[in-house]
Amino acid sequence: MSHSHKLVIKRSSMSRPPPPPPPTTNKDQQHQNPSFQEINIKLIQSGEKERLKELLRERLLECGWIDEMKALCRAFTRKKGRNNVTVDDLVHVISPKGRASVPNSVKAELLQRIRAFLASTAD
Amino acid sequence: MSSKINGHVSPQPCPHLLVFRSRNGPKPFRALQDCIRVKPPGGRAAIRREPTEVPRCGTCEESSRSRLYACVACAAVFCHAPLLHSHASDHSLSIPGHEIAVDVDRAELFCCACGDQVYDRDFDAAVVLAQTVNATATTSTSGSTAMQCSVAGSQPENLRKRRRVDYRPWEPDSGEHISRGNQSIPLLDAANASLVSSTQQPWGLRGLNNLGNTCFMNSILQALLHTPPLRNYFLGDRHNRYYCQQKNGAINGTKNSRLCLACDMDALFSAVFSGDRTPYSPAKFLYSWWQHAANLASYEQQDAHEFFISMLEGIHEKVEKDKRKFQSPAGSGDCCIAHRVFSGILRSDVMCMVCGFTSTTYDPCVDISLDLEPNQGGSGKSSSAKSLNSFNVEADCMRPNQNCGISTLKGCLERFTRAEKLGSDQKLFCQKCQVRQESLKQMSIRKLPLVSCFHVKRFEHSSIRKMSRKVDRYLQFPFSLDMAPYLSSSILRSRFGNRIFPFDGDEQDASNDLSTEFELFAVVTHSGRLDAGHYVTYLRLSNQWYKCDDAWITQVNESIVRAAQGYMMFYVQKVLYYKESENQGTS
């Protein structure tokens, strides 16, 4: 969901898979790193990803981030009119602000949890 | 775009959904319902072909996308990030009839062509059901909350037990149990309704037994018990005598620590507002006050005004001990409830008659003591050259609305705020002249308190003549009083006109945002001689007047009050008074 600076949206053909786009999560991660995918799989299969998502939801609720996003959506919807707004519109509208306004403490906490999880499940 | 069916708003389907339905029957998502998986810990619904499936985009193989959609027609999974790329959109464009997809992590239907969520009643009902079943099976708290989800667009948040708290009727906790005690009765209790309604008297009217010349105390207490902000403070449990005594003991470290007058007030409020109409003996209160004002502790009659002042000091002193580090500006009323209610700020301007230099001082005050006119029924321009009316040369009796010869409270206030030439024996030091000069002094009110207490100086003690006497002259007082003419801004403007003042006279009055209108609610009267007299208080509740004569409380006509000999008059800001009247429980 992150913004790309490319102005041209490439159309992928069905025969040849295009190169994977930049990852949508941590910008610092190298997407070619196969362990990123492995980590993700590990998180999903163990159920940790779901737990992390719940934790994230709770933190974002506590700090008012969710309310802020709701307010942005409402404002946008009011401007454009109820019947002229799609989910994609809203996602597009709030994504930049949303990403930017996640508190550092929340990021740090989740990062810590992921590290701890990986350490505990290291082979 | 949406229609209402059975009160539920049902969004109109997009054209692609309509087409999809027409091709696949009325319940095209039936098969999808088998893939609904409810995942702990949040109890959210997801779509998985197999419970352990890790969805990934069929085009780019990514599983870490935030939005992954499964095509309902062919079950292929694709990612969707509209601005970057959308393999889901690509898929929908490439194969007609494959526009409808489902968000695999949210179990929400989506039209890739429209880029918007779509709804199917049966599918959403199935999701809700799945989440409900899961919730009731796995959690111990009542699962009844789950059933209230709306059909269109199920909200998983509603089903999370953590977020919702089941309704429980209020029960007092241990602290509140103590506060209630045995004396209190519920206000709206059917069993006690007869007690409340049978007596025609408002709440908080209870006689106070005379414990031996204590009518001076009883009269003031009755006034304080019905001072709206004070009453609200104590009835609102803002000073809890149970908690405070513990603190008090902790601070002083001794078991028999000094009693707290505020705690005794709290106990008094509890007793008087308990609903019990039998006269109450404020013995404990008297004893506490004796300890506070040792010099006044005797069975002799005391001055009610003196008692009033010492009471406020007592409340202030106790509270100040706790908040020693907290420095609040004088007169702001931040120190204690007594000052919050009664404290105003007086302004005094002293002008040198030689050079015109004026010095201004501000002093906090909890009441205003007013002199009666020196001459019986005389004109305002009394004997002395002391009084100087710079602009208004008419005497009091030339004002159209003043009865000549009758002293009025307003007259006293006018005299109080009049510019007064200090006698030649009272020369004040002028900073400019650097010598003592004859001066002109004028008082005005810089900040009005919530409750204005006016004390009429009826007792004259002359140490020179070694005698005291009481002034019995009648003073007329209004039921409604506008204090605007006595504010500093009014006084100065009327004296000098609209101009820039050579001294700091132009700052905003602190009471600008508050009203200047006051309503009378209590009158303390004194009858009899100086050495053998009796105090009685008249209370105005819900526009009815009640006479509080120690243990006897009777309803009286307002004319009785008007004719009474006022010694102390209590006025409250109008906004606070009318609110209080509305809340009186009885007819």
Side-chain angles (χ1 to χ4, degrees):
Chain A
M1 262 198 327
S2 65
H3 271 303
S4 159
H5 291 295
K6 297 184 233 166
L7 293 176
V8 177
I9 296 172
K10 282 170 87 174
R11 270 231 174 161
S12 59
S13 70
M14 295 297 285
S15 56
R16 180 172 54 93
T24 57
T25 51
N26 195 331
K27 277 192 214 163
D28 297 328
Q29 285 278 352
Q30 293 302 311
H31 64 270
Q32 295 95 349
N33 191 343
S35 66
F36 177 82
Q37 282 272 27
E38 286 179 6
I39 291 173
N40 188 42
I41 304 284
K42 227 180 186 179
L43 288 171
I44 295 177
Q45 284 178 331
S46 64
E48 181 69 9
K49 191 165 191 194
E50 198 58 40
R51 285 189 285 273
L52 289 170
K53 277 192 183 176
E54 279 305 312
L55 176 65
L56 178 60
R57 278 192 196 99
E58 214 170 301
R59 294 287 179 260
L60 292 178
L61 182 70
E62 284 164 359
C63 71
W65 183 93
I66 293 190
D67 291 325
E68 226 179 288
M69 294 304 117
K70 276 190 188 169
L72 284 176
C73 291
R74 261 187 231 114
F76 179 78
T77 307
R78 240 178 267 130
K79 226 173 34 180
K80 268 197 92 184
R82 274 175 58 190
N83 299 336
N84 304 331
V85 171
T86 67
V87 170
D88 282 347
D89 289 338
L90 293 176
V91 169
H92 170 49
V93 161
I94 70 173
S95 288
K97 180 90 203 291
R99 286 184 175 283
S101 63
V102 175
N104 287 334
S105 57
V106 176
K107 293 183 193 170
E109 186 180 357
L110 283 166
L111 208 54
Q112 182 55 36
R113 282 281 294 255
I114 295 170
R115 283 203 192 98
F117 168 77
L118 292 174
S120 69
T121 60
D123 302 329
Chain B
M1 182 111 137
S2 58
S3 60
K4 279 199 179 175
I5 302 174
N6 292 339
H8 291 288
V9 176
S10 188
Q12 296 286 14
C14 73
H16 310 96
L17 182 63
L18 283 170
V19 168
F20 190 81
R21 278 205 183 113
S22 68
R23 283 206 202 154
N24 295 289
K27 297 193 182 186
F29 307 106
R30 185 62 197 81
L32 195 58
Q33 289 170 18
D34 298 332
C35 301
I36 298 175
R37 320 277 173 191
V38 180
K39 297 176 156 270
R44 294 174 173 271
I47 300 292
R48 299 285 187 271
R49 277 172 291 194
E50 305 294 325
T52 55
E53 178 195 4
V54 176
R56 47 174 88 232
C57 176
T59 308
C60 63
E61 308 276 328
E62 285 288 331
S63 63
S64 57
R65 295 277 169 260
S66 54
R67 289 167 80 191
L68 286 167
Y69 289 93
C71 173
V72 182
C74 68
V77 176
F78 299 101
C79 61
H80 181 65
L83 282 191
L84 197 61
H85 60 265
S86 172
H87 297 140
S89 295
D90 297 341
H91 175 74
S92 68
L93 287 169
S94 62
I95 309 178
H98 286 226
E99 296 89 2
I100 307 298
V102 63
D103 185 321
V104 299
D105 284 323
R106 295 176 182 84
E108 286 167 358
L109 295 173
F110 188 79
C111 174
C112 299
C114 298
D116 200 12
Q117 189 167 353
V118 293
Y119 306 89
D120 180 85
R121 179 180 299 244
D122 298 314
F123 176 74
D124 287 336
V127 172
V128 170
L129 184 64
Q131 285 182 279
T132 310
V133 168
N134 174 272
T136 51
T138 57
T139 61
S140 52
T141 55
S142 83
S144 58
T145 54
M147 301 314 268
Q148 283 133 30
C149 285
S150 60
V151 170
S154 61
Q155 297 292 324
E157 278 85 33
N158 288 352
L159 299 177
R160 289 167 62 197
K161 295 293 165 274
R162 252 174 294 168
R163 289 284 159 254
R164 295 201 30 178
V165 178
D166 294 329
Y167 169 75
R168 274 183 8 245
W170 172 83
E171 291 286 337
D173 62 25
S174 55
E176 285 156 353
H177 262 300
I178 292 174
S179 297
R180 278 175 66 189
N182 294 331
Q183 273 81 33
S184 63
I185 55 170
L187 283 174
L188 298 172
D189 189 358
N192 289 311
S194 56
L195 174 69
V196 172
S197 59
S198 64
T199 64
Q200 296 295 321
Q201 292 177 348
W203 280 104
L205 270 188
R206 195 173 174 187
L208 299 173
N209 285 322
N210 191 312
L211 307 173
N213 280 325
T214 59
C215 58
F216 71 93
M217 177 181 79
N218 288 345
S219 56
I220 294 293
L221 288 182
Q222 289 286 11
L224 293 178
L225 283 165
H226 292 275
T227 298
L230 207 63
R231 183 201 69 167
N232 296 343
Y233 178 85
F234 282 101
L235 288 185
D237 202 32
R238 298 292 301 278
H239 186 101
N240 188 305
R241 59 187 180 277
Y242 300 104
Y243 296 146
C244 172
Q245 277 182 341
Q246 290 165 17
K247 265 192 239 158
N248 202 2
I251 288 172
N252 292 351
T254 59
K255 247 190 157 184
N256 297 329
S257 53
R258 229 170 112 170
L259 297 177
C260 165
L261 270 184
C263 287
D264 298 310
M265 281 293 318
D266 187 44
L268 188 67
F269 270 98
S270 294
V272 167
F273 281 85
S274 65
D276 189 351
R277 300 284 181 193
T278 60
Y280 176 74
S281 293
K284 186 163 192 294
F285 191 93
L286 180 66
Y287 179 67
S288 297
W289 178 69
W290 277 348
Q291 287 187 311
H292 166 73
N295 57 321
L296 301 172
S298 76
Y299 276 109
E300 283 173 7
Q301 174 80 278
Q302 306 292 341
D303 182 6
H305 179 247
E306 232 178 302
F307 172 74
F308 172 68
I309 298 295
S310 84
M311 258 231 56
L312 296 187
E313 276 172 8
I315 294 176
H316 173 81
E317 189 189 290
K318 171 62 191 69
V319 175
E320 259 229 331
K321 272 203 177 117
D322 296 340
K323 296 183 185 169
R324 216 165 313 187
K325 51 184 187 225
F326 178 58
Q327 281 294 338
S328 62
S332 67
D334 291 337
C335 49
C336 64
I337 183 62
H339 285 107
R340 176 81 187 93
V341 175
F342 290 102
S343 187
I345 301 178
L346 283 180
R347 174 188 164 133
S348 164
D349 293 303
V350 176
M351 187 169 94
C352 171
M353 305 259 332
V354 175
C355 68
F357 177 81
T358 307
S359 78
T360 306
T361 51
Y362 295 103
D363 290 300
C365 66
V366 292
D367 64 354
I368 298 180
S369 291
L370 299 168
D371 289 299
L372 283 168
E373 283 163 30
N375 297 332
Q376 174 85 18
S379 67
K381 235 168 143 184
S382 54
S383 52
S384 61
K386 285 186 184 182
S387 299
L388 191 90
N389 264 336
S390 54
F391 78 102
N392 188 8
V393 289
E394 308 94 272
D396 275 347
C397 64
M398 284 169 79
R399 290 187 197 281
N401 53 353
Q402 288 258 341
N403 278 335
C404 209
I406 296 187
S407 305
T408 66
L409 179 67
K410 280 186 149 173
C412 292
L413 284 170
E414 272 153 32
R415 241 191 336 277
F416 180 77
T417 54
R418 201 174 289 170
E420 185 189 338
K421 184 165 163 227
L422 300 175
S424 45
D425 55 333
Q426 292 173 291
K427 284 186 184 170
L428 292 178
F429 186 81
C430 171
Q431 281 186 322
K432 211 159 142 206
C433 301
Q434 291 288 312
V435 288
R436 287 182 179 274
Q437 301 282 21
E438 288 197 338
S439 315
L440 198 68
K441 177 175 172 179
Q442 186 165 34
M443 303 292 301
S444 58
I445 300 178
R446 160 102 170 89
K447 179 183 165 234
L448 288 166
L450 293 182
V451 175
S452 290
C453 172
F454 299 113
H455 164 236
V456 180
K457 293 193 207 165
R458 291 189 177 279
F459 303 112
E460 294 177 351
H461 305 278
S462 169
S463 52
I464 301 168
R465 286 184 244 165
K466 287 228 167 85
M467 62 173 258
S468 310
R469 68 183 189 100
K470 184 193 171 195
V471 181
D472 272 310
R473 186 178 330 129
Y474 170 73
L475 180 78
Q476 189 227 60
F477 50 89
F479 284 7
S480 305
L481 178 65
D482 189 354
M483 294 292 290
Y486 317 111
L487 292 178
S488 303
S489 52
S490 314
I491 296 289
L492 295 172
R493 208 177 299 127
S494 65
R495 181 173 165 189
F496 299 105
N498 231 10
R499 63 187 70 261
I500 299 187
F501 294 111
F503 46 94
D504 64 8
D506 212 36
E507 76 277 284
Q508 289 262 326
D509 276 324
S511 54
N512 258 359
D513 43 347
L514 293 174
S515 165
T516 57
E517 293 176 79
F518 284 77
E519 285 294 322
L520 179 70
F521 69 92
V523 181
V524 173
T525 66
H526 183 271
S527 53
R529 298 197 315 266
L530 190 75
D531 50 351
H534 186 54
Y535 286 101
V536 162
T537 298
Y538 293 94
L539 293 176
R540 184 181 180 200
L541 302 169
S542 305
N543 241 2
Q544 292 274 25
W545 282 98
Y546 299 89
K547 177 180 178 185
C548 304
D549 185 350
D550 283 331
W552 293 272
I553 304 207
T554 49
Q555 190 173 339
V556 293
N557 194 290
E558 67 167 53
S559 55
I560 304 272
V561 182
R562 287 193 195 277
Q565 189 186 97
Y567 178 55
M568 290 173 73
M569 276 78 74
F570 292 80
Y571 288 82
V572 67
Q573 298 236 351
K574 185 173 163 181
V575 287
L576 299 174
Y577 173 75
Y578 282 147
K579 266 193 214 157
E580 195 250 304
S581 292
E582 281 161 19
N583 287 338
Q584 290 296 335
T586 61
S587 57

